[in-house]
Amino acid sequence: MSTKRELAQQLGVVVGFDDPEASLEQYRTPPSVAAHLVHLADLNGDIAGGTVVDLGCGTGMLALGAALRGPATVLGVDVDPAPLSTARANQNRVGTRTRISWLRADATELPVCPSEPVTAIMNPPFGAQSDNEHADRAFLATAADIASVSYSIHNAGSVDFVEAFAADNGGEVTAAYGTTLSLPRQFSFHEAESREIDVELFRIEWRRGPQ
């Protein structure tokens, strides 16, 4: 197993969005944050040999990170076709041999339901836009439907919301970690060249997913 730092270095070749949509909160997940999430999932035995689904995969950062840790298969789902095209190119850059499928679909209304146990990974929209509040709720709902366990990134201060949502939907938060996420200036309403935001990463075990 590569170290978390080595994994982040491997993911450094993954490029972000050519034309990001503010309404979809399309940001490249930093390789260090992706490596942190994937490394934790792997240490917990939630990746190797299993099925991993990346909900809202964008250009594939989390999906490709998981693919480098020996799952049987990875599915990346995103509603926007342009990032999926970039994700396929990123797959070639990373060079993983894991079988990866890229599906254009709304991750909050997933058209597939795997019969095998699934680990869901995601960096969902935080709901930062005024017309998109609580956007991450629908992504967690999908995880509750399909996954045995999920790993997700949320705004700092989300612990009460995530724990309550999990409890109401057949799940339990088993671990929470704090980290920071660097967001570059990429939209006209951004004032600084980049800013650091505090985020929280949650592991949730779901009882309603396939067993």
Side-chain angles (χ1 to χ4, degrees):
M1 179 193 301
S2 61
T3 66
K4 181 169 65 174
R5 178 176 293 182
E6 289 169 340
L7 181 58
Q9 291 174 340
Q10 289 175 287
L11 293 175
V13 299
V14 175
V15 302
F17 298 87
D18 290 331
D19 188 19
E21 289 283 344
S23 62
L24 296 176
E25 297 186 38
Q26 291 179 329
Y27 298 91
R28 175 180 180 262
T29 302
S32 59
V33 175
H36 185 52
L37 182 151
V38 169
H39 186 69
L40 289 171
D42 200 19
L43 288 177
N44 283 309
D46 294 327
I47 290 185
T51 298
V52 179
V53 178
D54 182 356
L55 299 173
C57 65
T59 64
M61 182 69 78
L62 291 178
L64 292 168
L68 291 169
R69 286 298 177 88
T73 186
V74 174
L75 172 63
V77 182
D78 203 278
V79 71
D80 188 347
L84 289 177
S85 178
T86 303
R88 294 184 183 94
N90 280 331
Q91 182 179 349
N92 292 330
R93 293 184 181 95
V94 169
T96 175
R97 297 182 178 180
T98 296
R99 182 164 61 91
I100 305 176
S101 299
W102 304 103
L103 174 65
R104 183 187 178 186
D106 186 343
T108 67
E109 297 180 2
L110 201 63
V112 297
C113 186
S115 59
E116 68 275 10
V118 164
T119 295
I121 57 177
M122 54 182 145
N123 182 11
F126 293 163
Q129 303 299 312
S130 59
D131 60 348
N132 201 31
E133 293 180 5
H134 307 301
D136 49 357
R137 182 186 299 270
F139 284 76
L140 287 176
T142 298
D145 286 340
I146 70 163
S148 297
V149 61
S150 68
Y151 291 79
S152 54
I153 301 168
H154 302 264
N155 258 332
S158 296
V159 61
D160 290 342
F161 154 66
V162 174
E163 287 183 344
F165 184 93
D168 289 343
N169 290 273
E172 178 184 3
V173 174
T174 60
Y177 310 87
T179 187
T180 59
L181 193 154
S182 179
L183 296 182
R185 184 183 188 276
Q186 60 182 29
F187 299 120
S188 60
F189 55 83
H190 288 166
E191 297 180 356
E193 286 301 311
S194 66
R195 67 188 182 101
E196 300 285 325
I197 64 171
D198 295 326
V199 296
E200 293 169 343
L201 191 161
F202 295 93
R203 180 184 188 269
I204 305 173
E205 293 183 357
W206 300 100
R207 294 185 292 277
R208 290 170 55 188
Q211 301 298 318

